[in-house]
Amino acid sequence: MTYFASHGSVWYTLEDGSQLMMNDLTVFANFSSKWKEQSNLQMNYEIRDGDTPVLLSNRLYDTVKYWWTILLINNISDMTEQWPRTYDDLNRYIEQKYPNNTKYDVHHYIDPAGLVVDLISQRIKYGVLTDAEAIDEGGLEAVSILEYETALNENKRNIILVDPDFISLVQKEYDLQMSEE
């Protein structure tokens, strides 16, 4: 059974008053902790540009029907924010998020230990009047908007997947859970 097929349907009223029947998205299946905690049941994967849960499911399990397992095992509920963007999408996102800046503008500064620092507190700490003096005195390094957003994006690339040898067991567990509700 596919993920949403067992959820049933509900009527959804649109802004114009018309109604649309759609899958009941309020139904939630619990993903057994064993799939997340037992490393022998899973494999590590680094998401590449263009990968989607559907493509990964097809590549790994030879069917698209297990796409939902990828999201559940990684606690991903918002593909827009929790899935890495492609290089082009990341650049468009930066342009929209920072409309008054270029991607090379400074996002923040870090000290030699790699900790984010506030320039005002650095000026007070070193008894200097300008940001430039605080940067120099503290040995601070600028982190651009592009570097910052790229690092956040790259941190989303490492996920876990259910080992193909066990994916049918995940489906059986899900089917059983849904039949009990």
Side-chain angles (χ1 to χ4, degrees):
M1 181 178 294
T2 62
Y3 184 69
F4 287 114
S6 61
H7 288 202
S9 300
V10 294
W11 284 100
Y12 181 75
T13 304
L14 302 173
E15 286 182 12
D16 66 3
S18 62
Q19 291 190 321
L20 173 70
M21 183 172 284
M22 59 186 288
N23 290 105
D24 184 356
L25 301 177
T26 63
V27 175
F28 182 75
N30 239 348
F31 204 72
S32 174
S33 61
K34 71 181 173 192
W35 303 110
K36 295 179 182 182
E37 296 168 0
Q38 294 182 19
S39 61
N40 62 320
L41 302 177
Q42 58 187 240
M43 52 192 289
N44 295 318
Y45 183 80
E46 185 175 332
I47 299 170
R48 300 182 296 218
D49 265 7
D51 279 345
T52 66
V54 170
L55 289 174
L56 290 178
S57 175
N58 196 45
R59 188 181 310 138
L60 188 63
Y61 308 123
D62 293 323
T63 178
V64 298
K65 75 178 189 176
Y66 297 123
W67 63 269
W68 55 274
T69 65
I70 296 164
L71 300 179
L72 288 180
I73 198 169
N74 291 286
N75 297 319
I76 296 173
S77 59
D78 183 348
M79 287 284 295
T80 304
E81 294 300 319
Q82 295 175 285
W83 195 263
R85 293 173 168 83
T86 65
Y87 177 78
D88 290 338
D89 288 343
L90 180 61
N91 279 307
R92 280 190 290 278
Y93 170 76
I94 290 170
E95 287 173 10
Q96 290 173 349
K97 185 174 178 182
Y98 304 93
N100 299 322
N101 301 88
T102 73
K103 61 186 176 183
Y104 303 109
D105 287 346
V106 174
H107 185 274
H108 63 270
Y109 290 90
I110 58 173
D111 67 14
L115 300 173
V116 175
V117 296
D118 174 63
L119 287 180
I120 294 172
S121 56
Q122 291 293 300
R123 289 191 343 220
I124 294 167
K125 177 180 179 179
Y126 294 108
V128 295
L129 297 175
T130 68
D131 287 347
E133 291 172 310
I135 292 166
D136 187 47
E137 287 290 325
L140 306 182
E141 181 181 333
V143 175
S144 71
I145 291 171
L146 179 61
E147 291 169 323
Y148 172 72
E149 292 293 344
T150 298
L152 290 178
N153 196 56
E154 292 304 305
N155 286 336
K156 299 173 189 174
R157 292 202 182 276
N158 295 314
I159 61 171
I160 56 173
L161 303 169
V162 175
D163 187 293
D165 292 338
F166 301 105
I167 196 67
S168 62
L169 296 175
V170 172
Q171 182 69 59
K172 286 178 186 173
E173 189 176 290
Y174 168 76
D175 290 343
L176 179 64
Q177 182 182 15
M178 295 310 289
S179 69
E180 292 173 352
E181 288 192 11

